[in-house]
Amino acid sequence: MSRNKTILITGAAAGIGAAAVRRFADAGWNVVACDIDSSRGEAVAKEFGDRAIFIEADTRHKPDLDFAVAKAVKHFGALDSVFANAGIHRRNTLLSVTDEEFDLVVKTNIYGTVNTLRAAVPAIIEGGGGSVVVNASDQAFIGKPGNFAYGLTKGALAQLTRTAALELAPKGVRVNAVCPGTVRTPLVESLFGRIEAAGGPAADELWREENALFPLGRVATPEEVAEMVYFLASDASSFCTGGLYPVDGGLTAG
């Protein structure tokens, strides 16, 4: 009798992460949801009863991820996939970014992703192989002014994806990255709120301007990105590895 597959998802309390929890659980997967926001993370996991568990984890601290992976294997029997989704955004430039802000973005987006993969991949290999999905960005392909630290980290994740795919292919592990454009998530809502609070344009105006940038006329929903994550983690993409998959409404097409 075959068992249900299990995925560990970081940044699972809201936005793309929460949408991914729901997509995988609805498809019958077991889900280990990880986040620093325990109240919202637990609420998302509780939607699915015994198919999902929540573990509070800060991806900047590898022992948190080691614990989460061990709990996933003990609770569900094995780990088949990981979605390294946790990340943050801060608006800055090369000349304006502070040491503290640069350190925070790098530690969260790069170190956090590396910690997640270093914890999860050995368990995936032990279970017979599987898949890794990294949340990169349209900024793996293009630069955006005012996104210095964020863009730098997402470019690094694109290269991480390619290199890890080559290293892990002989071990039966596929590695791909989803590369969203702007998505209507709490992270972006918070960013636009900070811009408005600092005396910039109103958040509603920023959303109108952002929507107009995309050939399809709008930003993405978290569910649309989660659908690509599901495809990349599932057997439907069994011959895909080392790829960077845009979900950007045509933004990077020209």
Side-chain angles (χ1 to χ4, degrees):
M1 180 177 177
S2 62
R3 61 175 178 81
N4 292 344
K5 289 189 174 183
T6 299
I7 186 169
L8 185 147
I9 299 172
T10 64
I16 295 168
V21 171
R22 295 182 176 107
R23 180 65 180 90
F24 281 88
D26 283 343
W29 286 53
N30 303 314
V31 181
V32 180
C34 299
D35 205 288
I36 59 174
D37 187 337
S38 58
S39 60
R40 289 200 293 180
E42 287 174 354
V44 172
K46 283 180 180 177
E47 294 177 20
F48 300 98
D50 59 5
R51 292 205 308 279
I53 60 172
F54 174 78
I55 300 173
E56 185 174 351
D58 185 338
T59 61
R60 293 172 297 176
H61 302 135
K62 188 171 178 288
D64 286 7
L65 278 308
D66 291 333
F67 174 81
V69 169
K71 185 73 176 289
V73 172
K74 181 177 181 180
H75 192 83
F76 292 120
L79 185 65
D80 302 281
S81 185
V82 61
F83 177 31
N85 170 66
I88 61 169
H89 186 289
R90 294 293 185 271
R91 192 166 175 81
N92 48 54
T93 69
L94 171 65
L95 301 181
S96 72
V97 65
T98 65
D99 291 346
E100 293 77 15
E101 191 168 74
F102 185 69
D103 186 67
L104 176 64
V105 175
V106 169
K107 287 288 179 63
T108 305
N109 294 358
I110 297 180
Y111 279 68
T113 300
V114 171
N115 288 340
T116 300
L117 270 54
R118 290 177 67 204
V121 167
I124 295 172
I125 295 170
E126 180 68 23
S131 58
V132 171
V133 183
V134 173
N135 193 349
S137 168
D138 58 354
Q139 292 185 56
F141 306 108
I142 60 173
K144 292 183 178 179
N147 289 260
F148 174 73
Y150 181 81
L152 179 155
T153 62
K154 293 302 184 173
L157 295 186
Q159 188 60 24
L160 175 155
T161 298
R162 296 185 184 101
T163 303
L166 297 177
E167 292 177 349
L168 297 177
K171 301 180 184 296
V173 178
R174 300 182 297 105
V175 186
N176 293 287
V178 61
C179 298
T182 305
V183 183
R184 191 105 191 197
T185 65
L187 184 149
V188 184
E189 296 274 10
S190 176
L191 170 64
F192 286 179
R194 290 196 301 270
I195 293 173
E196 180 177 355
D204 286 347
E205 178 60 29
L206 290 170
W207 279 117
R208 283 192 291 271
E209 293 176 358
E210 196 71 20
N211 285 328
L213 294 174
F214 293 84
L216 292 184
R218 63 173 178 83
V219 302
T221 67
E223 290 74 21
E224 288 170 321
V225 180
E227 193 64 39
M228 178 62 81
V229 175
Y230 180 77
F231 168 73
L232 293 173
S234 71
D235 292 339
S237 61
S238 58
F239 201 60
C240 299
T241 196
L244 311 177
Y245 292 84
V247 185
D248 66 2
L251 181 68
T252 61

PDB file of all heavy atoms in Angstrom, residues 108-136:
ATOM      1  N   THR A 108      18.126  35.968   6.008  1.00  0.00           N
ATOM      2  CA  THR A 108      16.809  35.346   5.846  1.00  0.00           C
ATOM      3  C   THR A 108      16.683  34.652   4.503  1.00  0.00           C
ATOM      4  O   THR A 108      16.284  33.480   4.422  1.00  0.00           O
ATOM      5  CB  THR A 108      15.701  36.400   5.996  1.00  0.00           C
ATOM      6  OG1 THR A 108      15.844  37.077   7.251  1.00  0.00           O
ATOM      7  CG2 THR A 108      14.326  35.750   5.916  1.00  0.00           C
ATOM      8  N   ASN A 109      17.022  35.355   3.425  1.00  0.00           N
ATOM      9  CA  ASN A 109      16.737  34.832   2.089  1.00  0.00           C
ATOM     10  C   ASN A 109      17.764  33.815   1.603  1.00  0.00           C
ATOM     11  O   ASN A 109      17.390  32.828   0.954  1.00  0.00           O
ATOM     12  CB  ASN A 109      16.635  35.977   1.092  1.00  0.00           C
ATOM     13  CG  ASN A 109      15.435  36.874   1.359  1.00  0.00           C
ATOM     14  OD1 ASN A 109      14.649  36.628   2.274  1.00  0.00           O
ATOM     15  ND2 ASN A 109      15.287  37.933   0.586  1.00  0.00           N
ATOM     16  N   ILE A 110      19.043  34.049   1.887  1.00  0.00           N
ATOM     17  CA  ILE A 110      20.073  33.108   1.424  1.00  0.00           C
ATOM     18  C   ILE A 110      20.378  32.065   2.491  1.00  0.00           C
ATOM     19  O   ILE A 110      20.212  30.859   2.266  1.00  0.00           O
ATOM     20  CB  ILE A 110      21.356  33.839   1.007  1.00  0.00           C
ATOM     21  CG1 ILE A 110      21.081  34.770  -0.184  1.00  0.00           C
ATOM     22  CG2 ILE A 110      22.430  32.818   0.627  1.00  0.00           C
ATOM     23  CD1 ILE A 110      22.289  35.545  -0.662  1.00  0.00           C
ATOM     24  N   TYR A 111      20.804  32.513   3.663  1.00  0.00           N
ATOM     25  CA  TYR A 111      21.116  31.554   4.721  1.00  0.00           C
ATOM     26  C   TYR A 111      19.888  30.710   5.057  1.00  0.00           C
ATOM     27  O   TYR A 111      19.991  29.495   5.268  1.00  0.00           O
ATOM     28  CB  TYR A 111      21.612  32.269   5.980  1.00  0.00           C
ATOM     29  CG  TYR A 111      23.052  32.678   5.957  1.00  0.00           C
ATOM     30  CD1 TYR A 111      23.511  33.672   5.098  1.00  0.00           C
ATOM     31  CD2 TYR A 111      23.982  32.086   6.814  1.00  0.00           C
ATOM     32  CE1 TYR A 111      24.839  34.059   5.086  1.00  0.00           C
ATOM     33  CE2 TYR A 111      25.317  32.467   6.817  1.00  0.00           C
ATOM     34  CZ  TYR A 111      25.742  33.456   5.940  1.00  0.00           C
ATOM     35  OH  TYR A 111      27.068  33.832   5.930  1.00  0.00           O
ATOM     36  N   GLY A 112      18.717  31.351   5.118  1.00  0.00           N
ATOM     37  CA  GLY A 112      17.506  30.615   5.459  1.00  0.00           C
ATOM     38  C   GLY A 112      17.191  29.513   4.462  1.00  0.00           C
ATOM     39  O   GLY A 112      16.807  28.405   4.837  1.00  0.00           O
ATOM     40  N   THR A 113      17.372  29.806   3.177  1.00  0.00           N
ATOM     41  CA  THR A 113      17.129  28.793   2.149  1.00  0.00           C
ATOM     42  C   THR A 113      18.170  27.681   2.214  1.00  0.00           C
ATOM     43  O   THR A 113      17.834  26.486   2.135  1.00  0.00           O
ATOM     44  CB  THR A 113      17.124  29.440   0.759  1.00  0.00           C
ATOM     45  OG1 THR A 113      16.090  30.426   0.697  1.00  0.00           O
ATOM     46  CG2 THR A 113      16.907  28.406  -0.332  1.00  0.00           C
ATOM     47  N   VAL A 114      19.433  28.058   2.370  1.00  0.00           N
ATOM     48  CA  VAL A 114      20.489  27.049   2.458  1.00  0.00           C
ATOM     49  C   VAL A 114      20.282  26.168   3.689  1.00  0.00           C
ATOM     50  O   VAL A 114      20.408  24.926   3.618  1.00  0.00           O
ATOM     51  CB  VAL A 114      21.869  27.723   2.484  1.00  0.00           C
ATOM     52  CG1 VAL A 114      22.966  26.694   2.794  1.00  0.00           C
ATOM     53  CG2 VAL A 114      22.164  28.407   1.153  1.00  0.00           C
ATOM     54  N   ASN A 115      19.942  26.776   4.823  1.00  0.00           N
ATOM     55  CA  ASN A 115      19.676  25.984   6.031  1.00  0.00           C
ATOM     56  C   ASN A 115      18.539  25.002   5.810  1.00  0.00           C
ATOM     57  O   ASN A 115      18.601  23.844   6.239  1.00  0.00           O
ATOM     58  CB  ASN A 115      19.316  26.913   7.195  1.00  0.00           C
ATOM     59  CG  ASN A 115      20.506  27.687   7.731  1.00  0.00           C
ATOM     60  OD1 ASN A 115      21.659  27.307   7.524  1.00  0.00           O
ATOM     61  ND2 ASN A 115      20.233  28.780   8.423  1.00  0.00           N
ATOM     62  N   THR A 116      17.493  25.465   5.131  1.00  0.00           N
ATOM     63  CA  THR A 116      16.336  24.614   4.871  1.00  0.00           C
ATOM     64  C   THR A 116      16.720  23.409   4.022  1.00  0.00           C
ATOM     65  O   THR A 116      16.364  22.260   4.325  1.00  0.00           O
ATOM     66  CB  THR A 116      15.222  25.418   4.172  1.00  0.00           C
ATOM     67  OG1 THR A 116      14.837  26.506   5.016  1.00  0.00           O
ATOM     68  CG2 THR A 116      14.024  24.551   3.869  1.00  0.00           C
ATOM     69  N   LEU A 117      17.481  23.660   2.969  1.00  0.00           N
ATOM     70  CA  LEU A 117      17.872  22.564   2.081  1.00  0.00           C
ATOM     71  C   LEU A 117      18.869  21.628   2.745  1.00  0.00           C
ATOM     72  O   LEU A 117      18.783  20.396   2.576  1.00  0.00           O
ATOM     73  CB  LEU A 117      18.438  23.118   0.776  1.00  0.00           C
ATOM     74  CG  LEU A 117      17.425  23.348  -0.349  1.00  0.00           C
ATOM     75  CD1 LEU A 117      16.256  24.223   0.092  1.00  0.00           C
ATOM     76  CD2 LEU A 117      18.097  23.950  -1.561  1.00  0.00           C
ATOM     77  N   ARG A 118      19.796  22.178   3.499  1.00  0.00           N
ATOM     78  CA  ARG A 118      20.777  21.316   4.169  1.00  0.00           C
ATOM     79  C   ARG A 118      20.121  20.418   5.203  1.00  0.00           C
ATOM     80  O   ARG A 118      20.589  19.302   5.449  1.00  0.00           O
ATOM     81  CB  ARG A 118      21.867  22.162   4.819  1.00  0.00           C
ATOM     82  CG  ARG A 118      22.802  22.834   3.816  1.00  0.00           C
ATOM     83  CD  ARG A 118      23.822  23.711   4.523  1.00  0.00           C
ATOM     84  NE  ARG A 118      24.735  22.911   5.320  1.00  0.00           N
ATOM     85  CZ  ARG A 118      25.405  23.379   6.385  1.00  0.00           C
ATOM     86  NH1 ARG A 118      25.224  24.635   6.779  1.00  0.00           N
ATOM     87  NH2 ARG A 118      26.228  22.599   7.045  1.00  0.00           N
ATOM     88  N   ALA A 119      19.030  20.877   5.790  1.00  0.00           N
ATOM     89  CA  ALA A 119      18.308  20.048   6.748  1.00  0.00           C
ATOM     90  C   ALA A 119      17.424  19.023   6.053  1.00  0.00           C
ATOM     91  O   ALA A 119      17.353  17.859   6.466  1.00  0.00           O
ATOM     92  CB  ALA A 119      17.455  20.930   7.669  1.00  0.00           C
ATOM     93  N   ALA A 120      16.736  19.444   4.982  1.00  0.00           N
ATOM     94  CA  ALA A 120      15.713  18.595   4.376  1.00  0.00           C
ATOM     95  C   ALA A 120      16.249  17.587   3.373  1.00  0.00           C
ATOM     96  O   ALA A 120      15.737  16.456   3.291  1.00  0.00           O
ATOM     97  CB  ALA A 120      14.661  19.469   3.697  1.00  0.00           C
ATOM     98  N   VAL A 121      17.238  17.971   2.588  1.00  0.00           N
ATOM     99  CA  VAL A 121      17.666  17.114   1.481  1.00  0.00           C
ATOM    100  C   VAL A 121      18.191  15.752   1.942  1.00  0.00           C
ATOM    101  O   VAL A 121      17.859  14.728   1.319  1.00  0.00           O
ATOM    102  CB  VAL A 121      18.688  17.851   0.590  1.00  0.00           C
ATOM    103  CG1 VAL A 121      19.378  16.881  -0.369  1.00  0.00           C
ATOM    104  CG2 VAL A 121      17.988  18.956  -0.196  1.00  0.00           C
ATOM    105  N   PRO A 122      18.984  15.656   3.009  1.00  0.00           N
ATOM    106  CA  PRO A 122      19.406  14.315   3.434  1.00  0.00           C
ATOM    107  C   PRO A 122      18.233  13.391   3.743  1.00  0.00           C
ATOM    108  O   PRO A 122      18.277  12.195   3.430  1.00  0.00           O
ATOM    109  CB  PRO A 122      20.246  14.597   4.685  1.00  0.00           C
ATOM    110  CG  PRO A 122      20.788  15.977   4.465  1.00  0.00           C
ATOM    111  CD  PRO A 122      19.675  16.716   3.797  1.00  0.00           C
ATOM    112  N   ALA A 123      17.172  13.930   4.329  1.00  0.00           N
ATOM    113  CA  ALA A 123      15.998  13.104   4.621  1.00  0.00           C
ATOM    114  C   ALA A 123      15.283  12.704   3.343  1.00  0.00           C
ATOM    115  O   ALA A 123      14.757  11.575   3.244  1.00  0.00           O
ATOM    116  CB  ALA A 123      15.045  13.866   5.547  1.00  0.00           C
ATOM    117  N   ILE A 124      15.251  13.595   2.360  1.00  0.00           N
ATOM    118  CA  ILE A 124      14.629  13.260   1.075  1.00  0.00           C
ATOM    119  C   ILE A 124      15.411  12.147   0.382  1.00  0.00           C
ATOM    120  O   ILE A 124      14.836  11.205  -0.168  1.00  0.00           O
ATOM    121  CB  ILE A 124      14.524  14.511   0.187  1.00  0.00           C
ATOM    122  CG1 ILE A 124      13.562  15.528   0.819  1.00  0.00           C
ATOM    123  CG2 ILE A 124      14.055  14.152  -1.225  1.00  0.00           C
ATOM    124  CD1 ILE A 124      13.542  16.875   0.120  1.00  0.00           C
ATOM    125  N   ILE A 125      16.735  12.253   0.413  1.00  0.00           N
ATOM    126  CA  ILE A 125      17.580  11.203  -0.168  1.00  0.00           C
ATOM    127  C   ILE A 125      17.355   9.876   0.558  1.00  0.00           C
ATOM    128  O   ILE A 125      17.203   8.821  -0.059  1.00  0.00           O
ATOM    129  CB  ILE A 125      19.060  11.613  -0.116  1.00  0.00           C
ATOM    130  CG1 ILE A 125      19.311  12.833  -1.012  1.00  0.00           C
ATOM    131  CG2 ILE A 125      19.961  10.451  -0.523  1.00  0.00           C
ATOM    132  CD1 ILE A 125      20.689  13.441  -0.844  1.00  0.00           C
ATOM    133  N   GLU A 126      17.309   9.937   1.880  1.00  0.00           N
ATOM    134  CA  GLU A 126      17.109   8.734   2.693  1.00  0.00           C
ATOM    135  C   GLU A 126      15.789   8.057   2.367  1.00  0.00           C
ATOM    136  O   GLU A 126      15.680   6.820   2.393  1.00  0.00           O
ATOM    137  CB  GLU A 126      17.150   9.104   4.179  1.00  0.00           C
ATOM    138  CG  GLU A 126      16.954   7.951   5.141  1.00  0.00           C
ATOM    139  CD  GLU A 126      18.100   6.950   5.132  1.00  0.00           C
ATOM    140  OE1 GLU A 126      19.222   7.326   4.725  1.00  0.00           O
ATOM    141  OE2 GLU A 126      17.873   5.782   5.509  1.00  0.00           O
ATOM    142  N   GLY A 127      14.793   8.871   1.999  1.00  0.00           N
ATOM    143  CA  GLY A 127      13.485   8.317   1.676  1.00  0.00           C
ATOM    144  C   GLY A 127      13.357   7.815   0.254  1.00  0.00           C
ATOM    145  O   GLY A 127      12.278   7.376  -0.148  1.00  0.00           O
ATOM    146  N   GLY A 128      14.439   7.913  -0.521  1.00  0.00           N
ATOM    147  CA  GLY A 128      14.419   7.385  -1.878  1.00  0.00           C
ATOM    148  C   GLY A 128      14.403   8.431  -2.970  1.00  0.00           C
ATOM    149  O   GLY A 128      14.263   8.109  -4.148  1.00  0.00           O
ATOM    150  N   GLY A 129      14.548   9.701  -2.586  1.00  0.00           N
ATOM    151  CA  GLY A 129      14.582  10.766  -3.584  1.00  0.00           C
ATOM    152  C   GLY A 129      13.288  11.543  -3.617  1.00  0.00           C
ATOM    153  O   GLY A 129      12.271  11.154  -3.030  1.00  0.00           O
ATOM    154  N   GLY A 130      13.321  12.679  -4.308  1.00  0.00           N
ATOM    155  CA  GLY A 130      12.140  13.530  -4.366  1.00  0.00           C
ATOM    156  C   GLY A 130      12.458  14.853  -5.016  1.00  0.00           C
ATOM    157  O   GLY A 130      13.245  14.911  -5.967  1.00  0.00           O
ATOM    158  N   SER A 131      11.878  15.909  -4.484  1.00  0.00           N
ATOM    159  CA  SER A 131      12.001  17.197  -5.162  1.00  0.00           C
ATOM    160  C   SER A 131      12.180  18.345  -4.189  1.00  0.00           C
ATOM    161  O   SER A 131      11.691  18.315  -3.054  1.00  0.00           O
ATOM    162  CB  SER A 131      10.763  17.456  -6.029  1.00  0.00           C
ATOM    163  OG  SER A 131       9.595  17.427  -5.221  1.00  0.00           O
ATOM    164  N   VAL A 132      12.879  19.358  -4.680  1.00  0.00           N
ATOM    165  CA  VAL A 132      13.102  20.606  -3.961  1.00  0.00           C
ATOM    166  C   VAL A 132      12.560  21.735  -4.817  1.00  0.00           C
ATOM    167  O   VAL A 132      12.817  21.782  -6.022  1.00  0.00           O
ATOM    168  CB  VAL A 132      14.606  20.841  -3.700  1.00  0.00           C
ATOM    169  CG1 VAL A 132      14.861  22.244  -3.149  1.00  0.00           C
ATOM    170  CG2 VAL A 132      15.170  19.775  -2.765  1.00  0.00           C
ATOM    171  N   VAL A 133      11.804  22.638  -4.191  1.00  0.00           N
ATOM    172  CA  VAL A 133      11.357  23.841  -4.883  1.00  0.00           C
ATOM    173  C   VAL A 133      11.810  25.044  -4.068  1.00  0.00           C
ATOM    174  O   VAL A 133      11.572  25.114  -2.859  1.00  0.00           O
ATOM    175  CB  VAL A 133       9.834  23.884  -5.076  1.00  0.00           C
ATOM    176  CG1 VAL A 133       9.442  25.125  -5.879  1.00  0.00           C
ATOM    177  CG2 VAL A 133       9.335  22.622  -5.771  1.00  0.00           C
ATOM    178  N   VAL A 134      12.469  25.972  -4.737  1.00  0.00           N
ATOM    179  CA  VAL A 134      12.960  27.204  -4.117  1.00  0.00           C
ATOM    180  C   VAL A 134      12.098  28.360  -4.597  1.00  0.00           C
ATOM    181  O   VAL A 134      11.755  28.433  -5.782  1.00  0.00           O
ATOM    182  CB  VAL A 134      14.441  27.444  -4.505  1.00  0.00           C
ATOM    183  CG1 VAL A 134      14.922  28.802  -4.015  1.00  0.00           C
ATOM    184  CG2 VAL A 134      15.319  26.317  -3.957  1.00  0.00           C
ATOM    185  N   ASN A 135      11.753  29.267  -3.698  1.00  0.00           N
ATOM    186  CA  ASN A 135      11.042  30.470  -4.117  1.00  0.00           C
ATOM    187  C   ASN A 135      12.071  31.535  -4.458  1.00  0.00           C
ATOM    188  O   ASN A 135      12.661  32.152  -3.573  1.00  0.00           O
ATOM    189  CB  ASN A 135      10.096  30.969  -3.029  1.00  0.00           C
ATOM    190  CG  ASN A 135       9.116  32.012  -3.554  1.00  0.00           C
ATOM    191  OD1 ASN A 135       9.273  32.507  -4.669  1.00  0.00           O
ATOM    192  ND2 ASN A 135       8.122  32.345  -2.763  1.00  0.00           N
ATOM    193  N   ALA A 136      12.293  31.729  -5.741  1.00  0.00           N
ATOM    194  CA  ALA A 136      13.211  32.781  -6.196  1.00  0.00           C
ATOM    195  C   ALA A 136      12.374  34.027  -6.499  1.00  0.00           C
ATOM    196  O   ALA A 136      11.660  34.515  -5.633  1.00  0.00           O
ATOM    197  CB  ALA A 136      14.014  32.310  -7.396  1.00  0.00           C
TER     198      ALA A 136
END
